[in-house]
Amino acid sequence: MLNVGKIEEGFVLDHIKAGRSMQIYRHLGLDKLDCTVAIIKNARSNVMGKKDILKVECDIDTLDLDILAFIDHNITVNVIKEGEIVEKRALFLPHQIKDVIKCHNPRCISSIEQGLPHIFYLADEEKEIYRCQYCDEKYQESAKTEN
Amino acid sequence: MTNNLRHLMKPLDFSVEELEQLFDTAADIEKNMSAYSHKCDGNILATCFYEPSTRTRLSFETAMLRLGGQVIGFSDASSSSVSKGESVADTIRVISSFADICAMRHPKEGAPMVAAANSIIPVINAGDGGHHHPTQTLTDLLTIRSLHGSLGGFTIGLCGDLKFGRTVHSLITALVRYKDIHFVFISPKELKVPDYIIDLLNENNITYEEVIKLEDVMSKLDLLYMTRVQKERFFNEEDYIRLRDFYILNEEKMALAKENMHVLHPLPRVNEISVEVDKDPRAAYFKQVQYGLYVRMALILTLLDKTDAHINQGLLRTF
C-alpha cells in the first residue's frame, strides 16, 4: 500500500468521488500555488469502495472552497494545524458559479458570444438546481464531468 | 447615469408597485396622448432587431415617435455589423454612443442581458428567442387591467399552444403575483403547460384546471387568451400541421361565453380565431395592440426617468 505522509499545516479533502480529484485540483487553482499538493487517486475506502484524496499544504482561507459543494457535497474538508485535524469545515452550495461549467443550450447567447463568462445561479438550493444566467437552462448533472 | 441605469430583461423585473406606476402612466397616456408628444424631444431610441419582427419593432418606434423622440436601428442581422462577426457586447457599446435607449430583439436567449451588462443606456428586451418577451407581458397585463378593471378576481382561460408559448408562460408567471385568479388551461395533451408552471401555481396555492375542449369551460371565463401554434417551435412539420387547427374560436363558441368576457391574443393570428369573431365587441386583440403602444411609451418614459416631470406637469394641469 502506498503511504503519503501527514501534513503539518493545510487541509485535506477526503471522500472525493474516485476520478474527480484532478477536476477539483483545476477548479481550486492548485496548479497556480507554490505549495506541496498530494493527489491520491483510487484510495481504498470502506464506505465508497474507491475514493480520491487531496492534501494541500497552504492556508485554507486563501482558497474559494464553495465550488467543492457544487462538484460533490459529500467531500469532507479537514483543516490541519500542527499535524492534527482542528476543524471539519462545512460546505455550502455557491449562489453563483462562474466559468466552471458551460451552458449546453444551443439557443443560448453563450454559445456564440466571444469572451462571455459562463455564469450559473443557484435556482433551487433544496434540489441543487443551477440555471444559466443568460437563458435559464437547467444544468444537467451528466455534463458535470465534461467540463 | 450608470448609477440609476435600469433595464427591462424579464417580465418580473419590476415589482407590483412599480408596475402599477407604469400602468398608471400608460393609462394617462391613453387619455392624454397629446400631453406626451414632446416628452422625449431630442432623445433617440435604437431598435436593434437581429431577427424580423415587424409588429414589435413598429410598436417601439411608434412609441418613441409619439413621445417626440427619434429612432435609429436595424431590422435584420444581415444589414448590421453582426454579419461581419461583431459581438453583442461590442454592438451595444457602439449603439450606446449614439442613442439614449435601446430595444433589442435577438434569436439567442440571453442576448439582451449581455447587451445590458455592457451598456451605458437602458436596454429593453424586445424578445430573445423562446426565452422572454417582457413588453408583451406588460401589454397583456395593461390590457387585462384596463378591460377587466383590475389585475385580480377573475377566471382566465389560456388556449392553444401552452407548451411552447412563451407569452403564455410569462403571463402566468406575472399573474401569480396577483390575488383571486383561477387559471383554466385548454390545450391538446401534446401542448400542455409545462410542469414548472404547474409547480409554481401549486407553490402559491393558486387554483387551476386543465381541459381539452374549449366549449366545456367557455361559460365560466372572464378572459380568454388565445395563442397561435407556432411553426418555428416544431422540429417535425407533421406534428405542426396536425395540431395547428386543433382550436378555432368561432361565433358558435363565442355564443357560450359571458357577455362581458374579453378575448386576447398576442398576434399575429393564423386561423385560431375566425375573422367573424373580430366584429364581436368582446374581441379585444386589436385593442391589445394599442395597449402595447401605451405601455411601451410608459416604459420608455420610466427608463429614461421622465415620469416625474410628467407627474408634476400633470398636477399643474389638474390644478
mmCIF file of all heavy atoms in Angstrom, chain A residues 33-59:
data_model
loop_
_atom_site.group_PDB
_atom_site.id
_atom_site.type_symbol
_atom_site.label_atom_id
_atom_site.label_comp_id
_atom_site.label_asym_id
_atom_site.label_seq_id
_atom_site.Cartn_x
_atom_site.Cartn_y
_atom_site.Cartn_z
ATOM 1 N N LEU A 33 -0.507 27.417 -7.278
ATOM 2 C CA LEU A 33 0.062 27.657 -5.951
ATOM 3 C C LEU A 33 1.460 27.057 -5.829
ATOM 4 O O LEU A 33 1.734 25.989 -6.382
ATOM 5 C CB LEU A 33 -0.843 27.056 -4.866
ATOM 6 C CG LEU A 33 -2.228 27.681 -4.706
ATOM 7 C CD1 LEU A 33 -2.986 26.950 -3.612
ATOM 8 C CD2 LEU A 33 -2.132 29.163 -4.384
ATOM 9 N N ASP A 34 2.276 27.739 -5.063
ATOM 10 C CA ASP A 34 3.641 27.261 -4.848
ATOM 11 C C ASP A 34 3.701 26.531 -3.505
ATOM 12 O O ASP A 34 4.340 26.973 -2.563
ATOM 13 C CB ASP A 34 4.600 28.472 -4.878
ATOM 14 C CG ASP A 34 6.046 28.031 -4.771
ATOM 15 O OD1 ASP A 34 6.339 26.882 -5.142
ATOM 16 O OD2 ASP A 34 6.856 28.837 -4.291
ATOM 17 N N CYS A 35 2.959 25.435 -3.395
ATOM 18 C CA CYS A 35 2.955 24.683 -2.152
ATOM 19 C C CYS A 35 2.843 23.188 -2.468
ATOM 20 O O CYS A 35 2.555 22.809 -3.593
ATOM 21 C CB CYS A 35 1.811 25.131 -1.247
ATOM 22 S SG CYS A 35 0.198 24.794 -1.923
ATOM 23 N N THR A 36 3.044 22.389 -1.452
ATOM 24 C CA THR A 36 3.001 20.942 -1.665
ATOM 25 C C THR A 36 1.553 20.478 -1.814
ATOM 26 O O THR A 36 0.694 20.821 -0.995
ATOM 27 C CB THR A 36 3.645 20.211 -0.460
ATOM 28 O OG1 THR A 36 4.939 20.760 -0.259
ATOM 29 C CG2 THR A 36 3.734 18.713 -0.721
ATOM 30 N N VAL A 37 1.303 19.710 -2.853
ATOM 31 C CA VAL A 37 -0.036 19.138 -3.060
ATOM 32 C C VAL A 37 0.132 17.643 -3.338
ATOM 33 O O VAL A 37 0.913 17.257 -4.214
ATOM 34 C CB VAL A 37 -0.756 19.791 -4.259
ATOM 35 C CG1 VAL A 37 -2.130 19.155 -4.464
ATOM 36 C CG2 VAL A 37 -0.897 21.294 -4.070
ATOM 37 N N ALA A 38 -0.564 16.825 -2.581
ATOM 38 C CA ALA A 38 -0.559 15.388 -2.848
ATOM 39 C C ALA A 38 -1.915 14.988 -3.410
ATOM 40 O O ALA A 38 -2.950 15.301 -2.812
ATOM 41 C CB ALA A 38 -0.273 14.629 -1.559
ATOM 42 N N ILE A 39 -1.888 14.344 -4.563
ATOM 43 C CA ILE A 39 -3.139 13.883 -5.180
ATOM 44 C C ILE A 39 -3.153 12.362 -5.062
ATOM 45 O O ILE A 39 -2.279 11.686 -5.616
ATOM 46 C CB ILE A 39 -3.210 14.287 -6.661
ATOM 47 C CG1 ILE A 39 -3.075 15.806 -6.793
ATOM 48 C CG2 ILE A 39 -4.499 13.799 -7.302
ATOM 49 C CD1 ILE A 39 -2.787 16.266 -8.211
ATOM 50 N N ILE A 40 -4.095 11.864 -4.324
ATOM 51 C CA ILE A 40 -4.180 10.413 -4.143
ATOM 52 C C ILE A 40 -5.428 9.925 -4.878
ATOM 53 O O ILE A 40 -6.545 10.328 -4.541
ATOM 54 C CB ILE A 40 -4.259 10.055 -2.643
ATOM 55 C CG1 ILE A 40 -3.047 10.660 -1.927
ATOM 56 C CG2 ILE A 40 -4.337 8.551 -2.459
ATOM 57 C CD1 ILE A 40 -3.221 10.757 -0.441
ATOM 58 N N LYS A 41 -5.207 9.090 -5.868
ATOM 59 C CA LYS A 41 -6.338 8.612 -6.665
ATOM 60 C C LYS A 41 -6.635 7.152 -6.331
ATOM 61 O O LYS A 41 -5.736 6.365 -6.077
ATOM 62 C CB LYS A 41 -6.022 8.742 -8.162
ATOM 63 C CG LYS A 41 -5.858 10.197 -8.604
ATOM 64 C CD LYS A 41 -5.611 10.309 -10.094
ATOM 65 C CE LYS A 41 -6.858 9.979 -10.878
ATOM 66 N NZ LYS A 41 -6.673 10.199 -12.319
ATOM 67 N N ASN A 42 -7.905 6.837 -6.354
ATOM 68 C CA ASN A 42 -8.361 5.458 -6.168
ATOM 69 C C ASN A 42 -7.877 4.826 -4.859
ATOM 70 O O ASN A 42 -7.495 3.649 -4.829
ATOM 71 C CB ASN A 42 -7.911 4.596 -7.361
ATOM 72 C CG ASN A 42 -8.498 5.113 -8.662
ATOM 73 O OD1 ASN A 42 -9.647 5.538 -8.692
ATOM 74 N ND2 ASN A 42 -7.709 5.098 -9.719
ATOM 75 N N ALA A 43 -7.890 5.621 -3.806
ATOM 76 C CA ALA A 43 -7.549 5.062 -2.487
ATOM 77 C C ALA A 43 -8.680 4.138 -2.033
ATOM 78 O O ALA A 43 -9.848 4.381 -2.350
ATOM 79 C CB ALA A 43 -7.367 6.199 -1.487
ATOM 80 N N ARG A 44 -8.299 3.084 -1.292
ATOM 81 C CA ARG A 44 -9.339 2.157 -0.825
ATOM 82 C C ARG A 44 -10.198 2.815 0.258
ATOM 83 O O ARG A 44 -9.688 3.541 1.110
ATOM 84 C CB ARG A 44 -8.700 0.885 -0.280
ATOM 85 C CG ARG A 44 -8.661 -0.232 -1.326
ATOM 86 C CD ARG A 44 -7.884 -1.405 -0.825
ATOM 87 N NE ARG A 44 -6.451 -1.151 -0.920
ATOM 88 C CZ ARG A 44 -5.530 -1.956 -0.413
ATOM 89 N NH1 ARG A 44 -5.870 -3.040 0.233
ATOM 90 N NH2 ARG A 44 -4.245 -1.674 -0.531
ATOM 91 N N SER A 45 -11.511 2.570 0.176
ATOM 92 C CA SER A 45 -12.434 3.170 1.153
ATOM 93 C C SER A 45 -13.478 2.132 1.542
ATOM 94 O O SER A 45 -14.068 1.487 0.673
ATOM 95 C CB SER A 45 -13.111 4.397 0.544
ATOM 96 O OG SER A 45 -14.265 4.740 1.270
ATOM 97 N N ASN A 46 -13.686 1.990 2.861
ATOM 98 C CA ASN A 46 -14.709 1.030 3.314
ATOM 99 C C ASN A 46 -16.104 1.435 2.858
ATOM 100 O O ASN A 46 -16.924 0.615 2.513
ATOM 101 C CB ASN A 46 -14.690 0.938 4.850
ATOM 102 C CG ASN A 46 -13.421 0.281 5.338
ATOM 103 O OD1 ASN A 46 -12.810 -0.507 4.608
ATOM 104 N ND2 ASN A 46 -13.000 0.620 6.545
ATOM 105 N N VAL A 47 -16.355 2.764 2.872
ATOM 106 C CA VAL A 47 -17.692 3.259 2.539
ATOM 107 C C VAL A 47 -17.883 3.376 1.029
ATOM 108 O O VAL A 47 -18.903 2.960 0.481
ATOM 109 C CB VAL A 47 -17.930 4.629 3.214
ATOM 110 C CG1 VAL A 47 -19.320 5.161 2.886
ATOM 111 C CG2 VAL A 47 -17.738 4.517 4.712
ATOM 112 N N MET A 48 -16.883 3.952 0.371
ATOM 113 C CA MET A 48 -17.055 4.283 -1.050
ATOM 114 C C MET A 48 -16.440 3.249 -1.999
ATOM 115 O O MET A 48 -16.629 3.335 -3.207
ATOM 116 C CB MET A 48 -16.410 5.651 -1.332
ATOM 117 C CG MET A 48 -16.992 6.783 -0.512
ATOM 118 S SD MET A 48 -16.047 8.319 -0.672
ATOM 119 C CE MET A 48 -16.451 8.824 -2.340
ATOM 120 N N GLY A 49 -15.710 2.322 -1.469
ATOM 121 C CA GLY A 49 -15.008 1.378 -2.337
ATOM 122 C C GLY A 49 -13.694 1.983 -2.786
ATOM 123 O O GLY A 49 -12.620 1.586 -2.342
ATOM 124 N N LYS A 50 -13.804 3.037 -3.635
ATOM 125 C CA LYS A 50 -12.628 3.790 -4.067
ATOM 126 C C LYS A 50 -12.914 5.274 -3.868
ATOM 127 O O LYS A 50 -14.056 5.710 -4.005
ATOM 128 C CB LYS A 50 -12.337 3.556 -5.562
ATOM 129 C CG LYS A 50 -11.666 2.237 -5.865
ATOM 130 C CD LYS A 50 -11.120 2.215 -7.290
ATOM 131 C CE LYS A 50 -12.186 2.383 -8.346
ATOM 132 N NZ LYS A 50 -11.653 2.279 -9.708
ATOM 133 N N LYS A 51 -11.877 6.019 -3.567
ATOM 134 C CA LYS A 51 -12.068 7.464 -3.411
ATOM 135 C C LYS A 51 -10.759 8.173 -3.764
ATOM 136 O O LYS A 51 -9.697 7.540 -3.822
ATOM 137 C CB LYS A 51 -12.479 7.811 -1.972
ATOM 138 C CG LYS A 51 -11.385 7.507 -0.941
ATOM 139 C CD LYS A 51 -11.791 7.916 0.457
ATOM 140 C CE LYS A 51 -10.687 7.618 1.471
ATOM 141 N NZ LYS A 51 -11.025 8.012 2.834
ATOM 142 N N ASP A 52 -10.870 9.488 -3.985
ATOM 143 C CA ASP A 52 -9.682 10.313 -4.178
ATOM 144 C C ASP A 52 -9.487 11.188 -2.937
ATOM 145 O O ASP A 52 -10.456 11.494 -2.221
ATOM 146 C CB ASP A 52 -9.833 11.226 -5.412
ATOM 147 C CG ASP A 52 -9.754 10.451 -6.727
ATOM 148 O OD1 ASP A 52 -9.574 9.211 -6.676
ATOM 149 O OD2 ASP A 52 -9.862 11.094 -7.785
ATOM 150 N N ILE A 53 -8.243 11.580 -2.702
ATOM 151 C CA ILE A 53 -7.928 12.470 -1.563
ATOM 152 C C ILE A 53 -6.951 13.532 -2.061
ATOM 153 O O ILE A 53 -6.067 13.233 -2.865
ATOM 154 C CB ILE A 53 -7.261 11.680 -0.405
ATOM 155 C CG1 ILE A 53 -8.173 10.530 0.059
ATOM 156 C CG2 ILE A 53 -6.922 12.596 0.770
ATOM 157 C CD1 ILE A 53 -7.472 9.529 0.983
ATOM 158 N N LEU A 54 -7.134 14.749 -1.588
ATOM 159 C CA LEU A 54 -6.169 15.815 -1.885
ATOM 160 C C LEU A 54 -5.603 16.343 -0.576
ATOM 161 O O LEU A 54 -6.371 16.649 0.354
ATOM 162 C CB LEU A 54 -6.855 16.980 -2.623
ATOM 163 C CG LEU A 54 -7.087 16.866 -4.132
ATOM 164 C CD1 LEU A 54 -7.899 18.059 -4.613
ATOM 165 C CD2 LEU A 54 -5.760 16.831 -4.878
ATOM 166 N N LYS A 55 -4.280 16.419 -0.495
ATOM 167 C CA LYS A 55 -3.641 17.011 0.687
ATOM 168 C C LYS A 55 -2.879 18.249 0.224
ATOM 169 O O LYS A 55 -2.071 18.162 -0.705
ATOM 170 C CB LYS A 55 -2.680 16.014 1.332
ATOM 171 C CG LYS A 55 -3.374 14.784 1.905
ATOM 172 C CD LYS A 55 -2.409 13.923 2.683
ATOM 173 C CE LYS A 55 -3.162 12.806 3.410
ATOM 174 N NZ LYS A 55 -2.293 12.104 4.369
ATOM 175 N N VAL A 56 -3.184 19.361 0.855
ATOM 176 C CA VAL A 56 -2.617 20.631 0.390
ATOM 177 C C VAL A 56 -1.978 21.364 1.566
ATOM 178 O O VAL A 56 -2.626 21.559 2.607
ATOM 179 C CB VAL A 56 -3.715 21.534 -0.236
ATOM 180 C CG1 VAL A 56 -3.096 22.779 -0.854
ATOM 181 C CG2 VAL A 56 -4.537 20.787 -1.264
ATOM 182 N N GLU A 57 -0.735 21.738 1.404
ATOM 183 C CA GLU A 57 -0.036 22.463 2.477
ATOM 184 C C GLU A 57 -0.078 23.958 2.197
ATOM 185 O O GLU A 57 0.879 24.536 1.667
ATOM 186 C CB GLU A 57 1.422 21.974 2.594
ATOM 187 C CG GLU A 57 1.565 20.882 3.637
ATOM 188 C CD GLU A 57 3.001 20.574 3.982
ATOM 189 O OE1 GLU A 57 3.879 20.723 3.112
ATOM 190 O OE2 GLU A 57 3.244 20.167 5.121
ATOM 191 N N CYS A 58 -1.226 24.575 2.466
ATOM 192 C CA CYS A 58 -1.326 26.036 2.379
ATOM 193 C C CYS A 58 -2.483 26.494 3.246
ATOM 194 O O CYS A 58 -3.274 25.670 3.721
ATOM 195 C CB CYS A 58 -1.506 26.491 0.933
ATOM 196 S SG CYS A 58 -3.181 26.378 0.321
ATOM 197 N N ASP A 59 -2.603 27.798 3.454
ATOM 198 C CA ASP A 59 -3.675 28.357 4.280
ATOM 199 C C ASP A 59 -5.013 28.154 3.559
ATOM 200 O O ASP A 59 -5.202 28.618 2.433
ATOM 201 C CB ASP A 59 -3.402 29.850 4.512
ATOM 202 C CG ASP A 59 -4.475 30.495 5.381
ATOM 203 O OD1 ASP A 59 -5.383 29.761 5.834
ATOM 204 O OD2 ASP A 59 -4.396 31.715 5.592
#
